[in-house]
Amino acid sequence: MAKFKLNPGEKLIGEGWMAFRHKQGLGYQQESTKIHVTDQRIFCDHMMGLVFMDVAMSEIKGFTTGKVMLAVPLVTIYDKDDTPYMFADLRAKKLAGWLRDAGVPELE
């Protein structure tokens, strides 16, 4: 796993294991990852050392909530370039709460 470290003066808001969902071919692949939401950035890494997301809060546009296949909660975080970062997991409500606590706007 990549070594997540808080930067000087950075405050952790929430962290936990989540399923990161990304486009692969015609479908989607899910990876078990750990997401860290701080007052300065959102960082998501994989057990194998891959970093899927390391975006400063100033570069975050907002997030949406929804469901995958009508059952699994989904949170999609968008950066200012509209790049989607999708997390489909039963713990998605916690992630949405951490994002709200960090001041990330919920998009329509």
Short mmCIF file of all heavy atoms in Angstrom, two decimals, residues 59-95:
data_model
loop_
_atom_site.label_atom_id
_atom_site.label_comp_id
_atom_site.label_asym_id
_atom_site.label_seq_id
_atom_site.Cartn_x
_atom_site.Cartn_y
_atom_site.Cartn_z
N GLU A 59 -9.03 21.65 -6.08
CA GLU A 59 -9.25 21.10 -7.41
C GLU A 59 -10.52 20.25 -7.50
O GLU A 59 -10.82 19.69 -8.55
CB GLU A 59 -8.05 20.27 -7.85
CG GLU A 59 -6.77 21.08 -8.00
CD GLU A 59 -6.89 22.15 -9.07
OE1 GLU A 59 -7.36 21.83 -10.18
OE2 GLU A 59 -6.53 23.31 -8.79
N ILE A 60 -11.26 20.13 -6.39
CA ILE A 60 -12.49 19.34 -6.36
C ILE A 60 -13.68 20.22 -6.72
O ILE A 60 -13.89 21.27 -6.12
CB ILE A 60 -12.70 18.69 -4.97
CG1 ILE A 60 -11.55 17.76 -4.62
CG2 ILE A 60 -14.05 17.97 -4.89
CD1 ILE A 60 -11.46 16.51 -5.46
N LYS A 61 -14.46 19.77 -7.69
CA LYS A 61 -15.68 20.48 -8.11
C LYS A 61 -16.85 20.13 -7.19
O LYS A 61 -17.63 20.99 -6.80
CB LYS A 61 -16.00 20.12 -9.55
CG LYS A 61 -17.24 20.77 -10.11
CD LYS A 61 -17.42 20.34 -11.56
CE LYS A 61 -18.63 20.94 -12.19
NZ LYS A 61 -18.75 20.52 -13.60
N GLY A 62 -16.98 18.84 -6.86
CA GLY A 62 -18.09 18.40 -6.01
C GLY A 62 -18.28 16.89 -6.13
O GLY A 62 -17.46 16.19 -6.69
N PHE A 63 -19.40 16.42 -5.59
CA PHE A 63 -19.69 14.99 -5.63
C PHE A 63 -21.18 14.75 -5.81
O PHE A 63 -22.01 15.62 -5.55
CB PHE A 63 -19.18 14.29 -4.36
CG PHE A 63 -20.01 14.52 -3.13
CD1 PHE A 63 -20.96 13.59 -2.72
CD2 PHE A 63 -19.84 15.66 -2.36
CE1 PHE A 63 -21.73 13.79 -1.59
CE2 PHE A 63 -20.60 15.88 -1.22
CZ PHE A 63 -21.55 14.95 -0.83
N THR A 64 -21.49 13.53 -6.28
CA THR A 64 -22.87 13.10 -6.41
C THR A 64 -23.02 11.76 -5.70
O THR A 64 -22.04 11.06 -5.46
CB THR A 64 -23.30 12.93 -7.88
OG1 THR A 64 -22.48 11.93 -8.50
CG2 THR A 64 -23.22 14.24 -8.65
N THR A 65 -24.26 11.42 -5.38
CA THR A 65 -24.55 10.11 -4.81
C THR A 65 -25.54 9.40 -5.72
O THR A 65 -26.28 10.04 -6.47
CB THR A 65 -25.15 10.21 -3.39
OG1 THR A 65 -26.36 10.98 -3.45
CG2 THR A 65 -24.17 10.86 -2.42
N GLY A 66 -25.54 8.10 -5.68
CA GLY A 66 -26.45 7.31 -6.50
C GLY A 66 -26.34 5.85 -6.11
O GLY A 66 -25.95 5.52 -4.99
N LYS A 67 -26.65 4.99 -7.07
CA LYS A 67 -26.59 3.54 -6.82
C LYS A 67 -26.07 2.85 -8.07
O LYS A 67 -26.28 3.31 -9.18
CB LYS A 67 -27.96 3.00 -6.46
CG LYS A 67 -28.51 3.60 -5.18
CD LYS A 67 -29.34 2.61 -4.44
CE LYS A 67 -29.94 3.28 -3.23
NZ LYS A 67 -29.33 2.87 -2.01
N VAL A 68 -25.42 1.71 -7.85
CA VAL A 68 -24.99 0.84 -8.93
C VAL A 68 -25.94 -0.33 -8.95
O VAL A 68 -26.18 -0.97 -7.91
CB VAL A 68 -23.54 0.34 -8.70
CG1 VAL A 68 -23.14 -0.67 -9.76
CG2 VAL A 68 -22.57 1.50 -8.66
N MET A 69 -26.52 -0.60 -10.11
CA MET A 69 -27.47 -1.72 -10.27
C MET A 69 -28.61 -1.66 -9.25
O MET A 69 -29.03 -2.68 -8.71
CB MET A 69 -26.73 -3.05 -10.21
CG MET A 69 -25.63 -3.13 -11.25
SD MET A 69 -24.84 -4.71 -11.32
CE MET A 69 -25.77 -5.43 -12.64
N LEU A 70 -29.05 -0.47 -8.94
CA LEU A 70 -30.19 -0.20 -8.06
C LEU A 70 -30.01 -0.65 -6.62
O LEU A 70 -30.96 -0.64 -5.84
CB LEU A 70 -31.47 -0.82 -8.63
CG LEU A 70 -31.84 -0.39 -10.04
CD1 LEU A 70 -33.02 -1.21 -10.55
CD2 LEU A 70 -32.14 1.09 -10.11
N ALA A 71 -28.80 -1.08 -6.24
CA ALA A 71 -28.65 -1.61 -4.89
C ALA A 71 -27.44 -1.07 -4.13
O ALA A 71 -27.55 -0.74 -2.96
CB ALA A 71 -28.57 -3.13 -4.94
N VAL A 72 -26.31 -0.96 -4.77
CA VAL A 72 -25.08 -0.60 -4.08
C VAL A 72 -24.89 0.92 -4.11
O VAL A 72 -24.86 1.52 -5.19
CB VAL A 72 -23.86 -1.30 -4.73
CG1 VAL A 72 -22.57 -0.92 -4.01
CG2 VAL A 72 -24.05 -2.80 -4.73
N PRO A 73 -24.77 1.56 -2.94
CA PRO A 73 -24.55 3.01 -2.91
C PRO A 73 -23.27 3.41 -3.65
O PRO A 73 -22.27 2.71 -3.60
CB PRO A 73 -24.43 3.31 -1.42
CG PRO A 73 -25.13 2.18 -0.73
CD PRO A 73 -24.87 0.98 -1.60
N LEU A 74 -23.35 4.55 -4.32
CA LEU A 74 -22.25 5.06 -5.13
C LEU A 74 -22.02 6.52 -4.81
O LEU A 74 -22.97 7.30 -4.73
CB LEU A 74 -22.59 4.91 -6.62
CG LEU A 74 -21.63 5.51 -7.63
CD1 LEU A 74 -20.37 4.66 -7.71
CD2 LEU A 74 -22.29 5.61 -9.00
N VAL A 75 -20.76 6.90 -4.62
CA VAL A 75 -20.36 8.30 -4.51
C VAL A 75 -19.38 8.56 -5.64
O VAL A 75 -18.41 7.82 -5.82
CB VAL A 75 -19.70 8.61 -3.15
CG1 VAL A 75 -19.09 10.01 -3.16
CG2 VAL A 75 -20.71 8.49 -2.03
N THR A 76 -19.66 9.60 -6.43
CA THR A 76 -18.75 9.99 -7.50
C THR A 76 -18.23 11.38 -7.19
O THR A 76 -19.01 12.31 -7.01
CB THR A 76 -19.46 9.98 -8.87
OG1 THR A 76 -20.05 8.70 -9.08
CG2 THR A 76 -18.48 10.29 -9.99
N ILE A 77 -16.91 11.49 -7.11
CA ILE A 77 -16.24 12.77 -6.84
C ILE A 77 -15.72 13.29 -8.18
O ILE A 77 -15.11 12.54 -8.94
CB ILE A 77 -15.08 12.58 -5.85
CG1 ILE A 77 -15.60 11.96 -4.54
CG2 ILE A 77 -14.37 13.91 -5.59
CD1 ILE A 77 -14.50 11.47 -3.61
N TYR A 78 -15.94 14.57 -8.45
CA TYR A 78 -15.49 15.19 -9.70
C TYR A 78 -14.45 16.26 -9.39
O TYR A 78 -14.64 17.07 -8.49
CB TYR A 78 -16.66 15.86 -10.43
CG TYR A 78 -17.70 14.89 -10.89
CD1 TYR A 78 -18.80 14.59 -10.09
CD2 TYR A 78 -17.60 14.26 -12.14
CE1 TYR A 78 -19.77 13.68 -10.51
CE2 TYR A 78 -18.57 13.36 -12.56
CZ TYR A 78 -19.64 13.08 -11.74
OH TYR A 78 -20.59 12.18 -12.16
N ASP A 79 -13.37 16.22 -10.20
CA ASP A 79 -12.41 17.31 -10.08
C ASP A 79 -12.84 18.44 -11.02
O ASP A 79 -13.86 18.32 -11.71
CB ASP A 79 -10.97 16.83 -10.31
CG ASP A 79 -10.70 16.36 -11.74
OD1 ASP A 79 -11.51 16.63 -12.66
OD2 ASP A 79 -9.65 15.72 -11.94
N LYS A 80 -12.07 19.52 -11.06
CA LYS A 80 -12.45 20.68 -11.87
C LYS A 80 -12.47 20.38 -13.36
O LYS A 80 -13.11 21.09 -14.13
CB LYS A 80 -11.53 21.85 -11.58
CG LYS A 80 -11.80 22.47 -10.23
CD LYS A 80 -11.00 23.72 -10.01
CE LYS A 80 -11.42 24.36 -8.70
NZ LYS A 80 -10.71 25.58 -8.42
N ASP A 81 -11.79 19.30 -13.79
CA ASP A 81 -11.80 18.89 -15.20
C ASP A 81 -12.92 17.89 -15.49
O ASP A 81 -12.94 17.29 -16.56
CB ASP A 81 -10.45 18.28 -15.58
CG ASP A 81 -9.32 19.29 -15.52
OD1 ASP A 81 -9.55 20.49 -15.81
OD2 ASP A 81 -8.20 18.89 -15.16
N ASP A 82 -13.80 17.68 -14.50
CA ASP A 82 -14.92 16.73 -14.59
C ASP A 82 -14.46 15.27 -14.68
O ASP A 82 -15.20 14.42 -15.17
CB ASP A 82 -15.87 17.06 -15.75
CG ASP A 82 -16.79 18.21 -15.41
OD1 ASP A 82 -17.14 18.36 -14.22
OD2 ASP A 82 -17.14 18.98 -16.32
N THR A 83 -13.28 14.97 -14.19
CA THR A 83 -12.83 13.59 -14.10
C THR A 83 -13.58 12.93 -12.95
O THR A 83 -13.55 13.43 -11.83
CB THR A 83 -11.31 13.52 -13.83
OG1 THR A 83 -10.63 14.22 -14.88
CG2 THR A 83 -10.84 12.08 -13.76
N PRO A 84 -14.29 11.82 -13.21
CA PRO A 84 -15.03 11.15 -12.14
C PRO A 84 -14.17 10.14 -11.39
O PRO A 84 -13.39 9.39 -11.98
CB PRO A 84 -16.16 10.44 -12.89
CG PRO A 84 -15.57 10.12 -14.22
CD PRO A 84 -14.59 11.24 -14.52
N TYR A 85 -14.30 10.13 -10.08
CA TYR A 85 -13.68 9.14 -9.20
C TYR A 85 -14.84 8.46 -8.48
O TYR A 85 -15.50 9.09 -7.65
CB TYR A 85 -12.73 9.80 -8.20
CG TYR A 85 -11.59 10.54 -8.85
CD1 TYR A 85 -11.72 11.88 -9.20
CD2 TYR A 85 -10.39 9.91 -9.13
CE1 TYR A 85 -10.67 12.57 -9.80
CE2 TYR A 85 -9.33 10.58 -9.72
CZ TYR A 85 -9.48 11.91 -10.06
OH TYR A 85 -8.44 12.58 -10.64
N MET A 86 -15.10 7.18 -8.81
CA MET A 86 -16.30 6.50 -8.31
C MET A 86 -15.96 5.51 -7.20
O MET A 86 -15.02 4.72 -7.33
CB MET A 86 -16.98 5.77 -9.45
CG MET A 86 -17.50 6.70 -10.53
SD MET A 86 -18.29 5.81 -11.89
CE MET A 86 -16.84 5.22 -12.75
N PHE A 87 -16.78 5.55 -6.15
CA PHE A 87 -16.64 4.65 -5.02
C PHE A 87 -17.99 3.98 -4.78
O PHE A 87 -18.95 4.63 -4.37
CB PHE A 87 -16.17 5.40 -3.78
CG PHE A 87 -14.83 6.03 -3.97
CD1 PHE A 87 -14.70 7.30 -4.49
CD2 PHE A 87 -13.67 5.32 -3.65
CE1 PHE A 87 -13.45 7.87 -4.69
CE2 PHE A 87 -12.42 5.88 -3.85
CZ PHE A 87 -12.31 7.16 -4.36
N ALA A 88 -18.08 2.69 -5.10
CA ALA A 88 -19.32 1.93 -4.95
C ALA A 88 -19.13 0.97 -3.77
O ALA A 88 -18.36 0.02 -3.86
CB ALA A 88 -19.63 1.15 -6.22
N ASP A 89 -19.85 1.24 -2.70
CA ASP A 89 -19.61 0.47 -1.48
C ASP A 89 -20.77 0.72 -0.51
O ASP A 89 -21.38 1.78 -0.53
CB ASP A 89 -18.30 0.95 -0.85
CG ASP A 89 -17.72 -0.04 0.12
OD1 ASP A 89 -18.32 -0.21 1.20
OD2 ASP A 89 -16.68 -0.63 -0.17
N LEU A 90 -21.02 -0.24 0.35
CA LEU A 90 -22.07 -0.06 1.36
C LEU A 90 -21.70 1.04 2.35
O LEU A 90 -22.56 1.56 3.05
CB LEU A 90 -22.34 -1.38 2.08
CG LEU A 90 -22.92 -2.48 1.19
CD1 LEU A 90 -23.04 -3.79 1.96
CD2 LEU A 90 -24.26 -2.07 0.61
N ARG A 91 -20.42 1.42 2.41
CA ARG A 91 -19.97 2.49 3.31
C ARG A 91 -19.95 3.85 2.63
O ARG A 91 -19.38 4.80 3.16
CB ARG A 91 -18.58 2.15 3.83
CG ARG A 91 -18.58 0.87 4.67
CD ARG A 91 -17.18 0.35 4.80
NE ARG A 91 -16.82 -0.27 3.53
CZ ARG A 91 -16.01 -1.29 3.39
NH1 ARG A 91 -15.42 -1.81 4.43
NH2 ARG A 91 -15.74 -1.80 2.20
N ALA A 92 -20.57 3.97 1.48
CA ALA A 92 -20.55 5.21 0.71
C ALA A 92 -21.18 6.38 1.48
O ALA A 92 -20.78 7.53 1.30
CB ALA A 92 -21.24 5.03 -0.64
N LYS A 93 -22.16 6.10 2.34
CA LYS A 93 -22.78 7.18 3.13
C LYS A 93 -21.74 7.84 4.04
O LYS A 93 -21.78 9.05 4.24
CB LYS A 93 -23.94 6.65 3.96
CG LYS A 93 -25.18 6.38 3.16
CD LYS A 93 -26.33 5.98 4.05
CE LYS A 93 -27.57 5.73 3.22
NZ LYS A 93 -28.73 5.40 4.06
N LYS A 94 -20.82 7.04 4.59
CA LYS A 94 -19.75 7.61 5.41
C LYS A 94 -18.89 8.55 4.57
O LYS A 94 -18.54 9.64 5.01
CB LYS A 94 -18.88 6.51 6.02
CG LYS A 94 -19.49 5.81 7.18
CD LYS A 94 -18.47 4.86 7.77
CE LYS A 94 -19.04 4.20 9.01
NZ LYS A 94 -18.06 3.35 9.68
N LEU A 95 -18.53 8.10 3.37
CA LEU A 95 -17.71 8.93 2.48
C LEU A 95 -18.42 10.24 2.17
O LEU A 95 -17.81 11.31 2.24
CB LEU A 95 -17.37 8.17 1.20
CG LEU A 95 -16.63 8.96 0.13
CD1 LEU A 95 -15.33 9.55 0.66
CD2 LEU A 95 -16.38 8.08 -1.09
#
